Amino acid sequence: MATTTQTRPPAAPVPSTRPRPRRRLHPKYVYGTVAVVVVLVVWQVVAALRIKPAIVLPGPFDVAKAFGQLFSTDAIWADLATSGKELMYGLILATVIGLPLGLLIGWYRRLSYLLSPLITFLYATPRIALTPLLIIWLGIGDSSKIAIVFLMAVFPILINSVSGVQNLDPAVLRVASCFGAGHLQIFRTIALPGSVPFIVSGLRLAVGQALIGVFVAELSGATHGVGMLMNTAGQQFQTSVVFAGLFIFAITGVVLTGLLRRVEQHYAAWRPQN
Amino acid sequence: MRKQTLEGAQPARRSSDPTGSPPVADGPAAASTAHLSARNVRIEYRAPSESASDVTLAVDNANLELQRSDFVCIVGPSGCGKTTFLNAVAGFLPIQGGNLELDGRDIPGPGPDRAMVFQQASLLPWRKVIDNVTYGLELGRTMKKAQARERARELLDLVGLSGFGDRYPAQLSGGMQQRVNLARALAVEPELLLLDEPFASIDAQTRETMQAELLRVCAARDVTALFVTHDITEAAFLADRVCVFSPRPGHIVREVVVPFDRPRDQRLRRSPEFLALVDEIAETLYGGTDPTAGEVIH
Ligand SMILES: Nc1ncnc2c1ncn2[C@@H]1O[C@H](COP(=O)(O)OP(=O)(O)OP(=O)(O)O)[C@@H](O)[C@H]1O
Ligand SMILES: [Mg+2]
């Protein structure tokens, strides 16, 4: 068959009747799409069978309709803005604090001795349970909500930055000191670039944690926000609106994680392909 | 032409003092001309507990002298302190006794006058090949970037990797990575090149090519080299002198002079003189308990 002719590179392209497809759909996308479609169909069928009333289990079309209604008013934009602000401020704060602190802890062993009991303690605690404390301390305004998001997001970033630095290849470090590199030079030329993959996966985990933080923060005393919207809708049995809110969270997570995956791939161009 | 040098080569069976006593203990006048001089060097590893029982004596009474442009190989049983000795010369380890001097001065720490090539290529995986080669220059901050790249390109040509500058290390084979490693070490124009089993993880065929290439590169750049290896054939092919280490605590049992002319050809490996020399070194190494072994053969 065609396999026997493949040993030679096709010098002159054989004139074919139709143009060669530029890019074939990767099996990853085919399988993924199939799975999503199957779930949606099963969901719609189950909902249409009305085993449970629509108020308990709305179908995909009900949810789509709820989406349409939500976005027909201006109120949703205030909710999105509020939740978005909490998410972004929390994430940025977590990065600005967690990333340098993690790198320093990874770099200075004594600092890690000093801080690791505290970090282990906080990491092992269900941090979401600190919500009541934060509300007592910071009030029910934006600051306590941002603090919760921050607290959820900072640990994955911190811990990944630490292990990024601690897992540097000692052979590469030795090369640097062999060339007479100073501490700052080693940090800049090896520790930073070498821990990028760890840092980015920390950020990715942080996005998921931060979204949990946003939702929980808005459970108590919020005036706007997608989490609050879901909470109110739930109390009024607007189940399809709850689903719509859930999808907003999910889509945000997927988009942010996808962006970070892009960044990760960009920086990991040097990794062996497997 | 090469043939002539081969035929002309008379394997000298001279060797310095086989008993391991210092071959260069005749005062500072002799030492001052040497590029590297080690006299009665003693190196210990101390466990953090500081108790006397936790001291490992790795090198004891090691004596060695390198003139400029010398190529000296160190062979010895595993764990005898070869890497330790090399690390001390590189400035990574302090010595506990004796003198270790570079151009007549003590070695305070790692410096740009020495470059080390390890067994693992240890390239910076996130840097392209060319940026790996310029790495040492970049740290030294003595050269403009364009100039450094220019030199890196020349070195890549020299090690036979023209056109691979824009690849990432992960896209190269092990042997190619090791050549980049060599180019990186040469880029800083070290006075002394220290190599610790650089070809040990490369397949036999590539290794022979790399050895010839190393000789060519060293001749082209007039490098002084101290080369540690397990492989006696490798040592005999590369070196002007082969130093045989004793089991731990390591000292140099014997220095075998390799008389073959340069440039050396791959065919040298199959010449009877070469094989006889390899045999002799092996005898010293494996039959090393008998101090007269060196004399017995010839
Ligand atoms: N960091 C260390 N701490 C304590 N002892 C060490 C350390 N490194 C090496 N040693 C000991 O010093 C001795 C010499 O080690 P070294 O690595 O120099 O041997 P080597 O000659 O290079 O061996 P090989 O040929 O296997 O590489 C060994 O017995 C080893 O146990
Ligand atoms: Mg070794």
Side-chain angles (χ1 to χ4, degrees):
Chain A
M1 285 213 277
T3 46
T4 51
T5 61
Q6 288 291 316
T7 47
R8 208 182 296 169
V14 185
S16 59
T17 45
R18 58 199 156 125
R20 208 166 40 129
R22 274 278 161 73
R23 190 192 275 176
R24 287 184 59 204
L25 218 48
H26 194 283
K28 182 171 81 178
Y29 299 118
V30 178
Y31 283 86
T33 312
V34 166
V36 170
V37 168
V38 165
V39 167
L40 283 177
V41 166
V42 170
W43 180 13
Q44 179 61 39
V45 167
V46 171
L49 288 176
R50 287 279 167 263
I51 299 165
K52 296 282 183 186
I55 202 165
V56 178
L57 183 66
F61 288 111
D62 301 319
V63 175
K65 222 180 335 175
F67 248 107
Q69 275 166 4
L70 271 182
F71 280 86
S72 65
T73 67
D74 284 342
I76 185 69
W77 296 111
D79 289 329
L80 284 176
T82 308
S83 294
K85 193 177 89 181
E86 290 159 8
L87 179 68
M88 280 308 138
Y89 281 16
L91 272 178
I92 290 171
L93 205 60
T95 312
V96 166
I97 292 177
L99 181 57
L101 189 63
L103 292 175
L104 287 176
I105 292 174
W107 192 247
Y108 293 106
R109 193 169 309 159
R110 278 164 210 276
L111 191 63
S112 89
Y113 294 157
L114 186 73
L115 294 181
S116 64
L118 296 175
I119 292 172
T120 314
F121 177 78
L122 275 174
Y123 191 57
T125 332
R127 272 155 289 137
I128 205 79
L130 294 175
T131 313
L133 270 183
L134 290 172
I135 290 175
I136 293 172
W137 290 340
L138 299 173
I140 53 169
D142 282 348
S143 40
S144 72
K145 293 183 174 55
I146 293 172
I148 293 166
V149 177
F150 163 78
L151 212 55
M152 292 301 285
V154 76
F155 280 91
I157 298 176
L158 182 80
I159 287 176
N160 271 272
S161 313
V162 174
S163 38
V165 176
Q166 284 177 347
N167 284 305
L168 292 172
D169 184 356
V172 170
L173 288 172
R174 197 166 52 154
V175 166
S177 52
C178 193
F179 280 122
H183 273 258
L184 259 179
Q185 282 182 315
I186 296 182
F187 190 80
R188 187 174 53 79
T189 60
I190 293 182
L192 266 186
S195 43
V196 162
F198 282 84
I199 293 170
V200 179
S201 42
L203 286 172
R204 246 175 47 205
L205 291 174
V207 167
Q209 294 290 303
L211 285 170
I212 297 177
V214 169
F215 180 79
V216 174
E218 289 177 0
L219 285 184
S220 28
T223 50
H224 291 289
V226 180
M228 188 227 61
L229 174 83
M230 289 170 69
N231 198 23
T232 325
Q235 284 161 1
Q236 296 166 355
F237 276 92
Q238 296 174 307
T239 315
S240 45
V241 177
V242 175
F243 269 105
L246 196 64
F247 278 111
I248 293 177
F249 270 106
I251 291 166
T252 312
V254 168
V255 168
L256 286 181
T257 314
L259 284 178
L260 286 167
R261 203 180 284 272
R262 276 286 172 79
V263 176
E264 201 171 13
Q265 277 164 358
H266 170 76
Y267 276 103
W270 40 270
R271 280 193 170 169
Q273 250 98 56
N274 42 355
Chain B
M1 188 180 132
R2 292 247 162 78
K3 218 167 185 172
Q4 283 176 351
T5 67
L6 257 184
E7 283 162 1
Q10 288 298 319
R13 296 299 174 216
R14 321 175 256 125
S15 63
S16 60
D17 196 340
T19 58
S21 65
V24 279
D26 11 84
S32 62
T33 58
H35 179 38
L36 173 75
S37 114
R39 268 167 288 147
N40 303 322
V41 167
R42 176 187 168 89
I43 307 168
E44 294 167 355
Y45 285 105
R46 245 174 253 274
S49 66
E50 305 257 348
S51 80
S53 62
D54 278 336
V55 173
T56 310
L57 183 58
V59 176
D60 195 18
N61 220 15
N63 291 284
L64 178 67
E65 243 187 44
L66 255 76
Q67 308 298 328
R68 283 194 185 267
S69 314
D70 269 357
F71 199 122
V72 171
C73 280
I74 295 179
V75 294
S78 180
C80 72
K82 305 182 294 292
T83 299
T84 306
F85 182 73
L86 213 61
N87 277 328
V89 176
F92 285 132
L93 284 175
I95 58 170
Q96 273 76 37
N99 284 309
L100 189 59
E101 291 175 351
L102 205 62
D103 293 322
R105 256 165 298 169
D106 283 345
I107 295 172
D113 52 340
R114 284 147 290 154
M116 193 130 170
V117 181
F118 301 99
Q119 179 177 342
Q120 297 306 322
S122 313
L123 302 176
L124 280 56
W126 51 86
R127 283 179 174 235
K128 290 182 175 165
V129 163
I130 185 126
D131 298 320
N132 263 289
V133 179
T134 57
Y135 183 59
L137 295 170
E138 198 182 305
L139 293 175
R141 289 207 197 97
T142 48
M143 199 180 260
K144 291 221 178 72
K145 192 163 183 189
Q147 211 181 341
R149 292 189 140 237
E150 190 53 40
R151 182 188 287 181
R153 259 191 215 101
E154 284 168 20
L155 282 166
L156 285 177
D157 291 347
L158 190 67
V159 298
L161 285 178
S162 329
F164 286 93
D166 285 331
R167 299 265 194 114
Y168 284 95
Q171 298 168 307
L172 302 186
S173 73
M176 290 158 96
Q177 291 186 17
Q178 198 54 283
R179 278 185 270 176
V180 179
N181 189 13
L182 183 62
R184 176 174 66 181
L186 289 171
V188 294
E189 301 204 318
E191 293 172 33
L192 180 57
L193 192 59
L194 305 168
L195 307 106
D196 190 5
E197 307 190 33
F199 306 143
S201 54
I202 301 178
D203 67 278
Q205 195 188 335
T206 314
R207 195 186 310 149
E208 296 198 347
T209 321
M210 295 279 301
Q211 287 162 3
E213 236 164 81
L214 176 66
L215 283 187
R216 190 170 53 74
V217 168
C218 284
R221 299 265 151 166
D222 197 25
V223 180
T224 315
L226 187 56
F227 188 110
V228 166
T229 176
H230 269 127
D231 182 345
I232 300 171
T233 325
E234 179 170 76
F237 184 72
L238 293 174
D240 298 314
R241 280 175 292 143
V242 177
C243 296
V244 182
F245 259 58
S246 72
R248 191 173 67 84
H251 59 271
I252 291 158
V253 187
R254 196 177 154 201
E255 268 188 43
V256 180
V257 174
V258 182
F260 309 119
D261 286 351
R262 298 179 187 276
R264 289 177 188 168
D265 191 72
Q266 294 288 10
R267 274 168 298 174
L268 171 65
R269 295 176 196 277
R270 287 174 291 281
S271 74
E273 296 89 346
F274 183 80
L275 295 174
L277 186 76
V278 167
D279 234 29
E280 187 187 335
I281 301 170
E283 197 69 29
T284 317
L285 190 55
Y286 302 125
T289 42
D290 180 5
T292 58
E295 268 91 35
V296 169
I297 312 170
H298 292 276

